Amino acid sequence: MENQNVHIPASGYRTAKGFCLTSAFWMMVATFMGLLGATELIAPDITENIGWLVFGRVRPIHINLVLFGFVTPGLMAAAFYYIPRLLRTELYSETLGVGTVVLWNAALVGVVVSLAAGHTQGREYAELIWPLDVGVVVVFAMVFVNFVMTVATRKEPVLYVSVWYALAGVVLTTLTYCLGNIIWRPDTGALAGIPDAIILWFYGHNIFGLLLTPLSAGVAYYVIPRAVKAPLYSHTLSLVGFWALLVVYTHIGTHHLLQVPVPTWLKVISIVDSVAMVIPVMAFLINIWYTAKGRLGEIHADIGAKFVFTGTIMYFFVSIQGSMMALPQVQRVTHFNNWVVGHAHIGVLGFAGMIALGGLYYILPYLTGRPLYSRFLADFQYWMVLIGVSGFTVVLTIVGLIQGNAWLNGETVYRLLPPVHIYYVLRAALGLMIFSSALLGFYNITRSMFFEPGESS
Amino acid sequence: MYLPYFVTYIAAGLIIALAVFFWALRNGQFRDQQRARFLPLEADPEARGAAVRKSRFARLEIAALFFLVAAGLAASAAVVVFALINANRW
Ligand code: HEM
């Protein structure tokens, strides 16, 4: 039913809606690819003779779709909603925004087709071939123009911290993407030797630290105060956290290469700053948690806020864990095994993915002027994702410790396969849950957007 | 030769960051922090309280979906139980 109280601008929030749909759709495909990959780890012959579905192709499709298909568009949807609202103006150009969504989706189709066909540059998180690299840079540049021009036409003089985060995320990603993908070398997309590894991981870490993290922080800083109907605990602290993130996060990429002969000074910087990450992380968390202090009931009442708040708790875990993993003595055990995969899932799904879903569910009623189609389905999805990601953490951490310990003691890889097999089965079962939840989410979101909502629960 | 690219990038990053920081400083972005805390709360369009239409179809549909998901979950559980039972055979 149409709600008269909601003011929907003439533009109709088309860009935000487009990004919501993009995120919900690609979450299904991305999690399916994850599930398929997990199944292949249990039964490696299952896609035998199907070249475009071998693990080596399924995995990059999975991670690229999660990053650029599900999480980033989800966070963008919220940003395209909150930036104009916080600046008391309208989005600079919905047409440009819709064009961005279309191009973004075209690029994602290109990602699936090219990777499945075996066209890859073979560098983690930078697999995409040159034409797609250019596509990614162009869409980020389009988002940047839209955001900056919206800021330029603002009626509110002060930029709220969410606006800072969204702008920084977009600017920095446009730049680091070019650098990390060695975009000036279309044929290989790589330098030679160790410098290539350094630059790749500088970029790789910035994808989490300067894209997913700032966009997620922006959503949390917007949704939580609104949901609990209280001002932010401290805007000054939020800006301290913002600038600290820029200073510290940019230096830590080399903690992915502590077992590699890169210059020691670079390793030292990366380790020190990985530990120093506790400053921006706690500045953010203290701020959000103090804002919500004593008002958890309000968070519980709002499904969007519930996702977001859970994401902040995951952020605490992933960051503390990350700082520990950057210590060389710890990493001797945890590197190169499923421990890191566990960490990656707490970060990308538990933190950024949860917040992307939360932002999406939070803004949907405002975009459509109607309540969410089904709060029950959203809640159900919440629990499935939460159980899924917590389960991943437990299972993958156990496998990681088994592998790390055994390898450190000189055990060979193949002899470990039987004991870890059961954990891979568990992991696939949890993946099935997350994939099912993505189906529910897509259904709920499209119903909320296109059809009259009915009372469902 | 990669150093020129690194140096250019570092220089660009630093220049942009410093330029934005000083713009913010002069523009008064760090001044009225008390008001900034309230920015997300202003102009609150309340969509949540909207009346919800009840429909029998929607209830049936949710029940069907719920059944599907429950079947998916049961399948997951069955995989796990099967694997546990057969664990020592592999
Ligand atoms: C204080 C914050 C964090 C620190 C210090 C940190 C530290 C680390 C370290 C040291 C590794 C490398 C582990 C290894 O290869 O042995 C790693 C990997 C990873 N981290 Fe984090 N992390 C942090 C937060 C996050 C967040 C917020 C995310 C996601 C949004 C994230 C996502 C990942 C992913 C995906 C990998 C796997 C990279 C790969 O494919 O090898 N991390 N992290």
Side-chain angles (χ1 to χ4, degrees):
Chain A
M1 187 174 283
E2 200 67 29
N3 182 351
Q4 305 305 325
N5 298 333
V6 182
H7 165 69
I8 297 184
S11 60
Y13 295 124
R14 279 176 294 147
T15 313
K17 283 181 182 167
F19 272 115
C20 283
L21 283 176
T22 305
S23 172
F25 174 76
W26 290 102
M27 182 185 181
M28 293 189 298
V29 187
T31 50
F32 176 75
M33 283 298 172
L35 176 59
L36 183 60
T39 313
E40 291 178 0
L41 289 177
I42 304 171
D45 297 337
I46 200 165
T47 50
E48 204 184 22
N49 298 329
I50 312 177
W52 50 281
L53 281 185
V54 293
F55 186 80
R57 297 189 193 180
V58 168
R59 185 188 181 276
I61 297 178
H62 165 64
I63 56 137
N64 277 286
L65 287 186
V66 166
L67 284 177
F68 296 119
F70 156 45
V71 182
T72 306
L75 297 169
M76 284 283 178
F80 270 98
Y81 172 77
Y82 70 63
I83 289 185
R85 293 215 67 86
L86 285 169
L87 298 172
R88 318 248 175 274
T89 181
E90 300 224 340
L91 185 66
Y92 167 65
S93 166
E94 287 286 350
T95 314
L96 179 63
V98 172
T100 313
V101 174
V102 172
L103 198 60
W104 194 297
N105 280 281
L108 289 170
V109 173
V111 168
V112 177
V113 172
S114 62
L115 289 175
H119 296 290
T120 171
Q121 294 187 331
R123 298 157 82 245
E124 202 182 356
Y125 304 109
E127 289 92 351
L128 307 184
I129 49 176
W130 189 76
L132 290 172
D133 285 344
V134 174
V136 173
V137 174
V138 170
V139 289
F140 271 97
M142 287 163 84
V143 173
F144 174 66
V145 170
N146 227 341
F147 283 0
V148 167
M149 293 309 291
T150 309
V151 170
T153 55
R154 71 190 189 278
K155 300 201 180 70
E156 164 60 57
V158 175
L159 305 187
Y160 181 66
V161 61
S162 298
V163 179
W164 279 107
Y165 269 119
L167 279 169
V170 174
V171 178
L172 293 166
T173 305
T174 315
L175 293 175
T176 32
Y177 194 91
C178 295
L179 186 79
N181 285 275
I182 321 289
I183 209 155
W184 61 93
R185 290 201 179 159
D187 46 344
T188 58
L191 301 173
I194 291 293
D196 187 62
I198 295 174
I199 210 163
L200 173 69
W201 278 112
F202 168 76
Y203 154 78
H205 206 94
N206 284 348
I207 284 291
F208 321 127
L210 298 182
L211 176 66
L212 301 188
T213 301
L215 289 184
S216 305
V219 174
Y221 273 128
Y222 181 71
V223 169
I224 297 298
R226 285 182 62 86
V228 300
K229 300 184 182 63
L232 183 66
Y233 174 66
S234 163
H235 196 259
T236 313
L237 182 60
S238 74
L239 290 184
V240 170
F242 171 80
W243 289 98
L245 186 100
L246 290 202
V247 172
V248 179
Y249 230 133
T250 35
H251 296 150
I252 64 181
T254 303
H255 66 205
H256 293 263
L257 298 169
L258 297 182
Q259 327 288 320
V260 176
V262 300
T264 305
W265 62 267
L266 206 52
K267 289 186 185 174
V268 172
I269 289 179
S270 80
I271 296 166
V272 171
D273 275 356
S274 296
V275 176
M277 267 302 293
V278 77
I279 299 168
V281 168
M282 290 321 292
F284 165 67
L285 289 176
I286 287 172
N287 220 345
I288 292 290
W289 290 347
Y290 265 95
T291 304
K293 193 172 164 218
R295 303 184 181 96
L296 286 181
E298 313 264 356
I299 301 250
H300 190 72
D302 187 303
I303 182 64
K306 199 163 131 178
F307 267 108
V308 172
F309 195 77
T310 310
T312 64
I313 296 171
M314 294 287 182
Y315 187 50
F316 175 76
F317 286 126
V318 75
S319 301
I320 298 301
Q321 186 192 35
S323 296
M324 303 291 166
M325 284 158 58
L327 304 176
Q329 284 80 354
V330 175
Q331 206 180 91
R332 284 186 71 202
V333 179
T334 59
H335 189 56
F336 268 147
N337 59 49
N338 277 284
W339 174 291
V340 179
V341 184
H343 169 80
H345 282 85
I346 314 178
V348 180
L349 179 60
F351 159 56
M354 276 275 191
I355 293 189
L357 286 168
L360 218 151
Y361 280 123
Y362 186 83
I363 63 168
L364 254 183
Y366 295 113
L367 298 185
T368 59
R370 297 187 296 256
L372 197 63
Y373 168 64
S374 167
R375 157 83 200 224
F376 169 76
L377 283 183
D379 247 325
F380 201 75
Q381 182 179 22
Y382 168 84
W383 281 105
M384 287 175 88
V385 174
L386 183 61
I387 294 170
V389 73
S390 315
F392 271 172
T393 308
V394 174
V395 170
L396 295 169
T397 302
I398 295 175
V399 181
L401 287 176
I402 295 176
Q403 292 173 320
N405 234 327
W407 295 344
L408 204 59
N409 289 305
E411 189 55 277
T412 50
V413 170
Y414 82 93
R415 275 171 51 86
L416 274 184
L417 295 179
V420 299
H421 189 266
I422 178 66
Y423 298 101
Y424 281 173
V425 175
L426 282 169
R427 184 233 213 150
L430 293 161
L432 183 60
M433 264 175 83
I434 294 173
F435 170 60
S436 317
S437 89
L439 299 180
L440 290 186
F442 182 69
Y443 178 77
N444 202 5
I445 288 161
T446 41
R447 276 304 298 247
S448 302
M449 229 175 242
F450 296 117
F451 307 98
E452 283 280 288
E455 165 70 320
S456 52
S457 55
Chain B
M1 202 39 202
Y2 54 88
L3 266 179
Y5 300 107
F6 282 23
V7 172
T8 314
Y9 183 82
I10 293 169
L14 266 180
I15 290 168
I16 294 174
L18 288 176
V20 172
F21 182 80
F22 282 108
W23 168 81
L25 200 60
R26 288 174 174 213
N27 193 258
Q29 291 297 329
F30 305 126
R31 230 171 270 152
D32 199 356
Q33 294 295 302
Q34 279 308 320
R35 196 175 71 80
R37 296 170 60 214
F38 288 83
L39 284 179
L41 298 178
E42 286 170 32
D44 188 353
E46 193 51 72
R48 269 116 226 288
V52 174
R53 186 171 54 82
K54 298 203 184 273
S55 101
R56 191 173 140 71
F57 176 66
R59 261 200 308 278
L60 281 177
E61 214 177 6
I62 293 296
L65 272 172
F66 190 74
F67 171 76
L68 277 180
V69 171
L73 287 180
S76 308
V79 173
V80 174
V81 172
F82 178 78
L84 283 173
I85 291 172
N86 289 287
N88 50 1
R89 282 205 220 145
W90 286 319

